[in-house]
Amino acid sequence: MGRDALKMGALREPDEGILQDEIARACRPFAKTGGDLNSLRRDLRQTMWDDVGVMRDAAGLKNWLAKKLEQIKRDLYEIGVEDGVRAFNLTWHDWLNLDNLVEISQVIGEAALARENSRGAHFREDFPTEGDLDNSYFTLVKQIGDKLEVTREDVVFSIVRPGETILPEDAPETLVS
């Protein structure tokens, strides 16, 4: 983070339109009546596990993004919180946290849908092979307006390449003695 900040040079002025949109989003629950945030959080956690978890495929991810996640988002936006002293309004803080969980869940789902191989603990049933390690890439998600843009960036193996080692030839197989 620090190196990135140095590259930026001077800080730019904040975008007032974005700030106003975010304030409006954060204040959204004050215009509605109460609801069950805990149940909605449990639903999000369960659907993330069932549809976006370790075993997944394109059809399940698309269905989850278009139907289940959108329903959770609609339900959240119908739940309100009491307007009062906002600094200590823990229900409002819970609402904001859940809204952020919904947003990041969408990012995770879009990235999982774009990734067409299996790597590590996450397995695409419709793309069961790992893919060529030499051609590994990061999946990047960026918000452009109201849409998420998914791109890829190649992994640069700057210290050690796949299949190589930086350990001396006489090093033990494990470093645990």
Side-chain angles (χ1 to χ4, degrees), residues 5-24:
L6 289 174
K7 287 182 203 173
M8 287 175 32
L11 296 176
R12 62 183 170 87
E13 290 298 316
D15 184 319
E16 286 299 321
I18 291 174
L19 289 176
Q20 291 307 314
D21 289 347
E22 287 305 307
I23 290 169

Side-chain angles (χ1 to χ4, degrees), residues 47-56 61 64 105 108-109 112 122:
T47 63
M48 282 291 289
W49 177 257
D50 291 343
D51 301 314
V52 188
V54 176
M55 303 290 285
R56 53 196 178 198
L61 289 166
W64 178 80
S105 295
I108 292 167
H122 296 281

Side-chain angles (χ1 to χ4, degrees), residues 102-165:
V102 169
E103 295 286 329
I104 199 64
S105 295
Q106 183 178 3
V107 169
I108 292 167
E110 294 287 353
L113 184 59
R115 185 152 198 108
E116 297 179 339
N117 62 24
S118 291
R119 179 81 64 209
H122 296 281
F123 184 79
R124 282 285 299 265
E125 292 177 305
D126 48 348
F127 293 98
T129 60
E130 288 182 345
D132 180 20
L133 194 57
D134 285 327
N135 295 315
S136 293
Y137 57 86
F138 295 107
T139 305
L140 306 173
V141 182
K142 182 177 183 181
Q143 185 170 345
I144 309 291
D146 291 340
K147 304 288 182 201
L148 294 178
E149 177 183 282
V150 182
T151 59
R152 295 177 178 175
E153 184 176 304
D154 291 338
V155 174
V156 177
F157 296 101
S158 59
I159 297 173
V160 63
R161 298 207 37 86
E164 295 177 356
T165 182

